[in-house]
Amino acid sequence: MSTHEPISPGLTTASHWGVFRAWPQAGKIGAAALKCDRRGIPNLRAVTELPFLENRIRTPAARASFLEKRAGYTHLRGEDRWVALSWPEALDLAGSEINRIYDLYGPSAVFGHSYGWKSSGALHAPAALIRRMLALRGGYVRGENNYSNAAMRKILPYVVGQKHLRPQCLEVIAEHTERLVFWGADPEVTNEIDWFSTVHSSEPAWEKIEQRARSGALRTFAVNPVRPLSARRFASEWLPVRPGTDAALMLAMIHVLDEENLCDRDFLRTHVHGLEAFLDYVRGKDDGCPKSPDWAAPICGLPAETIARFARELAAHRTFLMLGWGPQRARFGEQFHWAGFALAAFLGQMGLPGGGVSGENHTGDGGAPESAGPWVENLPVPQSAAPCPVIPTARFADCLRHPGRTIDFNGRRCTYPMLRLMLWGGGNPFAHQPDSLGLYHAWRSQQLEAVIVCDTHWSATAKMADIVLPACTFFERNDISGVGEYSRDGIAAMHRIIPPMYDSRTDYWIFSELAERLGVGKAFTQGLDEEGWLHRLYGEAAGRARESGLTLPSFNAFWEKGWVPFPVPEKARGFVDFALFREDPERHPLPTPSGRIELFSEKIASFGYGDCPPHPAWLDPAPEDPRVRSRFPLRLVSPKSRFRLHSQLDPCPRKDRGPSDPEWLRIHPRDARARAIAQGDLVLARSPRGALLARASVTEDVMEGTVALAHGAWFEPEWVGDELLDLHGSSNTLTEDVPTSALACGNTASAFDVEVCRCREQDFPFRPFAHPLPGGPAH
Ligand SMILES: Nc1nc2c(c(=O)[nH]1)N[C@H]1C(S)=C(S)[C@@H](COP(=O)(O)OP(=O)(O)OC[C@H]3O[C@@H](n4cnc5c(=O)[nH]c(N)nc54)[C@H](O)[C@@H]3O)O[C@H]1N2
Ligand SMILES: Nc1nc2c(c(=O)[nH]1)N[C@H]1C(S)=C(S)[C@@H](COP(=O)(O)OP(=O)(O)OC[C@H]3O[C@@H](n4cnc5c(=O)[nH]c(N)nc54)[C@H](O)[C@@H]3O)O[C@H]1N2
Ligand SMILES: [Mo]
């Protein structure tokens, strides 16, 4: 990457969508992606609209009945009137509530995990600021695990050990791979963004992969209930598989490799632990059911011949399995990655250039070569004074519903605390948590005495708060950001482009003021303001860079330059994971109990979990009750939208959808015909959890029996007759809040019991996202 970026107008800033230059322009913001960004930023126009959206939170506010009677009328959350407050009023109110709850109940009553994608920037990172403040005040209930890849993160350490949770070098794949499988992965969509920021440094490798795919030297496959965008770019053969059934398909492929002797028996003997027990299962020795293609075909919806052909084709070539995270966000989601690694072990190519498997190559430029540069760290979260409860993060709604209940979690027992206070900043649980209506009711429970939300916009979560604190968007503040979650491409300055709109303040200012009211102001700020911290954070990163032999420019030079790329050491290129282990498993064992790839785990067996057996296995996530199956015959998947980052950008202008329009629901022509649904019809989608409105997109790009609704449309609950339903097509209205299993307790994002019918526009009160202040109802 060139260090000599031709200078565009404006100043540098950074976002999840990319590093770019921006400037004020006719009351709005003009912007241009960096020239070195080979992918550009397709959603840049929408991103620049963020500060100006109608539903910006303009002033601090509180719910009317909360103001009148603290901790009362919690059932009015989401329906109450809002009252505008001055900053001192709002901060005093929030501060006194937090102090009251700490004094009465202690830190185990305070949920401070505040999960979410906020904006780029190390300083104005609300979740880190909230945790820092609460840790200083005495501690808080933490969430463990994430919503992205919870099942994968918990299962793979048992299978190959933590340190092999990493991407494989894409350059090597581009050069050596002959068969590339996008398995529940759509890098063409998910690589658009990065947890920090991005210059899309994996794009040159993807261009090579595309060229080889188009020339026929490389064949690609997409295993997915939906034809992903990547299938178009990489001319993939689409293998439509029913949601939640990948493990069955993988087991059947292993059955073929075993029976036709296409597996690498030497590799299996020397590099795998638990082979016998696993093969007994695959061959059906114990249950009399061989996991053959004939067995898998009716489960996963692919013909048996296709399954066998696919297995043979992969065995005959240098094959790389690129596992996405969509399939593991489902009941028994752990099995997807375990079976995927088992399949790779049977193919026997792990450790060969361009062969093997990874679950980290489809997003955040995973697989671009890693620089030797440092990350920019957020403000640290100190150790809490007292030990505090930890819950699996995706179980927080369950915790609200069942305080005191004890659950299993990855070999431990975990007792839910009684939550009295929640703080949320930079996250949107009404976008990320399954079963939004279930959450809606749990959130209004009496035990939860106060909810404080800090956001830039009136998100569905902000509307469910007692106190709302308006934050600046990243265009309205200074910050710095790392670039490249996996590859650490460099550091970007985030310049303030426009002054704060309305009465919004920076996250750092808001939580410094609040910390002051909790009596921990000095410890929180350490006497530093925004500028002071930016110098400190940059200085610390520069110090870490020096340790690895890199000299960063002075802060002022960096600030002016805006974008400082890190050099990539030659040895970082061409990395092949598992190569040493392959060469000599005795000298380079894996960090697992046996030192091998574990296809049977004694450790997991010792937990005795019915929903996570000790070897890769097929467990059916569909409801057992035949009455449920017949009333709700469709399966739902909710993949990422290329127009959004989760719920972010949903209210931004977009060509194919007006701001009050519900999200598109993709449905197969035969399923549509059977329900008299035509292209563009308004439809009601229903599961046993709830119902939502969507607009039908009738397309052969989704397999029969499955519907797809992109994740992140804004949740808009509304009473229609005697039913509370979501007007806007937020997929989590339909999903079920069940853990993946007791192992990971991860979130699920699919539903296996959905029905769709046509409905009439005039029966529903559509409206653009309204501003709830002053005076009006909350949504
Ligand atoms: N059905 C379904 N559910 C899913 C998924 C799925 O695919 N399908 N995906 C899951 C995954 S992988 C994830 S990671 C989660 C994502 O879930 P979240 O990360 O919670 O979703 P976001 O919409 O990104 O929420 C970010 C919030 O931060 C606010 N924000 C942005 N910038 C700032 C700022 O500078 N300051 C403050 N204070 N606030 C700011 C935004 O307005 C927004 O409300 O969703 C999960 N849930
Ligand atoms: N544009 C954009 N990019 C993003 C994000 C975003 O919101 N927008 N979010 C970011 C985040 S936080 C994360 S965690 C990553 C997420 O990365 P992923 O979790 O990999 O992305 P998803 O779109 O949720 O799922 C990937 C694919 O899995 C498919 N799928 C779903 N269920 C199944 C199944 O049962 N079997 C099979 N075979 N396929 C299935 C979906 O159709 C989808 O195409 O992406 C990141 N990138
Ligand atoms: Mo995620």
Side-chain angles (χ1 to χ4, degrees):
M1 201 165 301
S2 160
T3 31
H4 303 289
E5 179 70 23
I7 297 298
S8 311
L11 296 166
T12 303
T13 186
S15 70
H16 296 305
W17 298 268
V19 181
F20 60 96
R21 308 273 293 187
W23 54 92
Q25 183 176 290
K28 291 275 183 99
I29 289 174
L34 298 190
K35 302 275 187 322
C36 68
D37 187 334
R38 293 269 278 274
R39 203 183 151 94
I41 305 177
N43 285 313
L44 188 54
R45 268 274 299 126
V47 173
T48 61
E49 287 293 328
L50 278 171
F52 311 105
L53 293 176
E54 170 62 22
N55 61 355
R56 274 303 291 276
I57 307 174
R58 295 170 200 194
T59 71
R63 224 160 44 78
S65 53
F66 181 81
L67 273 178
E68 282 157 27
K69 185 174 184 297
R70 286 311 123 73
Y73 301 110
T74 56
H75 63 286
L76 288 182
R77 287 192 184 117
E79 285 180 295
D80 218 340
R81 213 164 39 81
W82 286 97
V83 179
L85 301 176
S86 69
W87 271 107
E89 284 169 335
L91 290 164
D92 287 349
L93 178 66
S96 70
E97 270 305 283
I98 300 173
N99 283 327
R100 183 181 71 80
I101 286 168
Y102 269 102
D103 294 344
L104 264 177
Y105 308 108
S108 60
V110 179
F111 189 65
H113 185 67
S114 186
Y115 179 92
W117 266 68
K118 52 141 184 124
S119 290
S120 305
L123 173 59
H124 300 292
L129 296 172
I130 288 175
R131 293 172 200 172
R132 178 177 171 84
M133 177 182 84
L134 298 181
L136 292 168
R137 180 64 177 79
Y140 61 95
V141 177
R142 276 200 302 120
E144 180 176 324
N145 231 348
N146 63 32
Y147 284 74
S148 304
N149 48 30
M152 178 188 83
R153 286 229 159 262
K154 289 296 179 205
I155 191 80
L156 285 186
Y158 295 102
V159 182
V160 288
Q162 184 75 31
K163 78 172 198 196
H164 292 284
L165 276 156
R166 59 183 299 176
Q168 297 269 9
C169 175
L170 282 176
E171 290 283 348
V172 175
I173 292 173
E175 196 177 331
H176 296 279
T177 304
E178 295 166 330
R179 297 292 179 268
L180 173 60
V181 185
F182 301 113
W183 207 312
D186 194 0
E188 196 46 19
V189 170
T190 52
N191 245 329
E192 188 189 338
I193 60 95
D194 189 288
W195 171 243
F196 295 112
S197 184
T198 173
V199 287
H200 300 110
S201 57
S202 64
E203 187 55 20
W206 285 111
E207 283 168 10
K208 276 191 209 153
I209 291 173
E210 181 181 350
Q211 267 168 20
R212 281 193 68 224
R214 298 217 165 261
S215 75
L218 166 69
R219 285 196 62 194
T220 70
F221 301 85
V223 186
N224 202 317
V226 184
R227 190 200 304 267
L229 215 55
S230 304
R232 214 177 295 164
R233 175 168 184 192
F234 302 104
S236 313
E237 177 180 339
W238 177 34
L239 297 167
V241 61
R242 294 170 79 201
T245 66
D246 300 85
L249 171 58
M250 288 161 160
L251 290 166
M253 292 170 71
I254 291 171
H255 189 275
V256 173
L257 300 180
D258 177 41
E259 194 156 272
E260 300 183 10
N261 213 15
L262 298 173
C263 47
D264 186 335
R265 302 249 180 235
D266 287 340
F267 181 82
L268 289 172
R269 207 180 45 250
T270 48
H271 290 72
V272 162
H273 170 81
L275 185 64
E276 289 312 311
F278 176 61
L279 270 179
D280 283 352
Y281 172 75
V282 171
R283 292 169 180 168
K285 197 166 161 224
D286 299 331
D287 58 2
C289 168
K291 309 301 174 296
S292 65
D294 283 330
W295 163 80
I299 297 174
C300 65
L302 281 174
E305 310 79 71
T306 307
I307 299 174
R309 173 181 60 81
F310 189 34
R312 290 180 200 127
E313 169 108 14
L314 299 191
H317 296 92
R318 184 59 57 87
T319 291
F320 189 79
L321 306 178
M322 194 174 284
L323 308 182
W325 301 336
Q328 56 94 64
R329 237 177 260 111
R331 183 83 177 125
F332 316 126
E334 291 83 354
Q335 301 308 317
F336 170 69
H337 278 88
W338 205 353
F341 272 65
L343 177 57
F346 272 74
L347 289 168
Q349 302 180 18
M350 291 166 83
L352 293 178
V357 61
S358 165
E360 312 252 3
N361 266 106
H362 60 288
T363 184
D365 290 302
E370 286 173 38
S371 82
W375 273 298
V376 187
E377 304 287 348
N378 291 341
L379 256 53
V381 178
Q383 194 80 36
S384 303
C388 292
V390 177
I391 60 172
T393 186
R395 303 311 294 149
F396 93 93
D398 202 45
C399 172
L400 284 176
R401 276 188 290 269
H402 304 290
R405 179 181 277 187
T406 298
I407 59 157
D408 285 309
F409 176 33
N410 198 19
R412 321 195 303 258
R413 303 279 286 163
C414 156
T415 301
Y416 291 149
M418 170 82 88
L419 301 178
R420 305 282 182 175
L421 165 71
M422 286 203 302
L423 282 96
W424 225 293
N428 191 355
F430 282 94
H432 69 229
Q433 185 69 19
D435 187 9
S436 307
L437 291 169
L439 178 62
Y440 182 88
H441 295 300
W443 193 278
R444 290 152 60 114
S445 74
Q446 238 178 340
Q447 122 216 346
L448 187 58
E449 298 185 11
V451 179
I452 300 169
V453 172
C454 172
D455 205 301
T456 48
H457 295 78
W458 279 105
S459 68
T461 303
K463 289 178 186 172
M464 291 293 288
D466 297 319
I467 303 171
V468 164
L469 306 172
C472 295
T473 66
F474 68 91
F475 289 108
E476 300 156 314
R477 52 165 164 83
N478 295 310
D479 211 327
I480 55 178
S481 177
V483 178
E485 178 177 7
Y486 293 98
S487 43
R488 296 190 307 281
D489 301 295
I491 301 192
M494 295 175 66
H495 285 271
R496 186 170 111 159
I497 308 298
I498 55 169
M501 301 273 295
Y502 313 110
D503 212 3
S504 66
R505 296 280 194 279
T506 70
D507 285 291
Y508 180 66
W509 182 89
I510 293 169
F511 292 105
S512 304
E513 287 290 321
L514 209 45
E516 185 67 37
R517 284 156 174 86
L518 306 191
V520 296
K522 277 264 148 30
F524 183 89
T525 62
Q526 299 192 357
L528 298 177
D529 59 6
E530 177 182 90
E531 199 185 337
W533 271 108
L534 294 185
H535 277 88
R536 158 99 57 107
L537 295 175
Y538 183 80
E540 286 171 358
R544 287 193 299 279
R546 249 190 321 277
E547 286 164 22
S548 39
L550 272 183
T551 309
L552 299 195
S554 69
F555 181 87
N556 289 346
F558 152 71
W559 194 246
E560 196 178 324
K561 237 179 150 127
W563 157 232
V564 173
F566 299 146
V568 174
E570 224 22 67
K571 70 173 181 356
R573 299 182 191 276
F575 162 81
V576 177
D577 201 7
F578 299 109
L580 291 175
F581 166 65
R582 177 183 192 89
E583 212 175 275
D584 189 344
E586 300 299 330
R587 279 190 55 212
H588 304 285
L590 298 182
T592 56
S594 62
R596 307 281 154 96
I597 301 164
E598 300 224 340
L599 299 189
F600 185 95
S601 163
E602 280 78 13
K603 190 86 195 153
I604 294 179
S606 75
F607 303 155
Y609 295 156
D611 53 6
C612 188
H615 56 73
W618 155 247
L619 298 155
D620 192 349
E624 272 169 35
D625 187 339
R627 284 165 308 180
V628 178
R629 285 194 201 225
S630 62
R631 280 185 58 212
F632 301 98
L634 300 171
R635 294 182 178 218
L636 168 89
V637 288
S638 56
K640 302 295 185 279
S641 166
R642 66 190 169 113
F643 299 108
R644 284 191 295 266
L645 170 57
H646 313 301
S647 71
Q648 298 183 57
L649 305 189
D650 192 52
C652 295
R654 182 174 138 179
K655 274 197 220 103
D656 67 334
R657 202 179 132 214
S660 61
D661 270 351
E663 179 57 278
W664 292 100
L665 176 122
R666 281 171 280 176
I667 183 167
H668 189 276
R670 273 193 290 276
D671 289 325
R673 213 171 307 127
R675 293 163 177 80
I677 292 169
Q679 175 67 23
D681 277 354
L682 189 68
V683 293
L684 191 71
R686 187 181 285 287
S687 79
R689 273 77 57 197
L692 57 76
L693 292 182
R695 203 163 287 288
S697 164
V698 180
T699 168
E700 292 190 339
D701 285 349
V702 60
M703 73 186 292
E704 203 174 343
T706 295
V707 291
L709 188 62
H711 156 66
W714 278 31
F715 179 61
E716 282 270 288
E718 174 78 30
W719 287 100
V720 176
D722 57 1
E723 185 176 21
L724 186 65
L725 53 82
D726 163 41
L727 291 183
H728 200 64
S730 172
S731 56
N732 280 322
T733 313
L734 303 176
T735 55
E736 190 177 7
D737 192 2
V738 284
T740 52
S741 83
L743 195 89
C745 290
N747 55 313
T748 64
S750 315
F752 305 106
D753 47 4
V754 171
E755 181 54 303
V756 178
C757 66
R758 193 158 62 108
C759 56
R760 302 186 318 167
E761 314 264 339
Q762 62 266 37
D763 292 341
F764 302 99
F766 294 113
R767 51 168 184 260
F769 292 116
H771 195 277
L773 264 173
H779 48 250

